Amino acid sequence: MKKATIFFALLLFAGVANASYIGMFADADATVCNLDYVPFAPQTTYVGVVVDPTEFPNGIVAAEFKIDNYFPNNGLGMVTVTATSQVVIGAMDTDYSIAWSTPQTGAFVTIATLTSVGFNAAWLGTDHVMTIMAGDDCACLVIVDDAFIQHGTVGGSFTFNCTIDCDCLEGTATEDASWSAVKALF
């Protein structure tokens, strides 16, 4: 059992190629995870699932998550959320659940588009990182397959006004770790 646990830990820290995850992107192709904020100009970002077809060959039917460090609700800007399904519960910044009536397929399944507009240059600031993570209510970060089985996943990061290394999967299972770091877990 210990060998299986160590193997899983190695996969977790080494990263699993082509693993599905929920992320936020500046483009509908899910390739850019940062954007320079421009005051008074509406900007669109896409929240969705990057799908590994070997993991979900028949598509997905639901997802649940939250976006940590979501757009500030301070009167200096606003965000409009346009979901790709009418079956939505919750809010992006606390616990967001979405379900579709038919399986969604493709390399990227859009959950929602977020159209944001700020009325002040200081609304988002420099290196404003938003991270997809487990929701507050369910404490889960999941993708649901076509057989209605929940799969735990990882969340991506998105950075407005990036001046640092803005990795789409910053702080998730794709981090490098030495063997000593893995052994220290046990």
Side-chain angles (χ1 to χ4, degrees), residues 101-143:
S101 58
T102 58
Q104 304 296 295
T105 59
F108 183 65
V109 174
T110 302
I111 291 171
T113 55
L114 309 178
T115 304
S116 59
V117 61
F119 310 122
N120 185 302
W123 184 43
L124 295 176
T126 303
D127 296 319
H128 185 92
V129 180
M130 296 183 193
T131 306
I132 307 293
M133 57 190 344
D136 294 342
D137 295 336
C138 79
C140 58
L141 175 57
V142 296
I143 302 169

Side-chain angles (χ1 to χ4, degrees), residues 161-172:
N161 305 318
C162 180
T163 63
I164 55 177
D165 182 22
C166 299
D167 185 3
C168 294
L169 285 172
E170 183 177 325
T172 65

Side-chain angles (χ1 to χ4, degrees), residues 28-112:
D29 294 326
T31 59
V32 180
C33 57
N34 61 71
L35 182 66
D36 288 334
Y37 162 70
V38 179
F40 300 102
Q43 295 179 291
T44 301
T45 50
Y46 302 84
V47 177
V49 181
V50 175
V51 179
D52 174 359
T54 62
E55 188 176 9
F56 298 102
N58 299 315
I60 64 172
V61 296
E64 188 164 359
F65 61 94
K66 82 170 186 179
I67 301 177
D68 189 49
N69 201 29
Y70 192 65
F71 296 94
N73 185 12
N74 57 11
L76 300 178
M78 61 184 230
V79 180
T80 303
V81 177
T82 306
T84 58
S85 172
Q86 293 181 343
V87 183
V88 173
I89 299 171
M92 288 278 180
D93 62 339
T94 56
D95 199 335
Y96 191 84
S97 299
I98 188 167
W100 297 275
S101 58
T102 58
Q104 304 296 295
T105 59
F108 183 65
V109 174
T110 302
I111 291 171

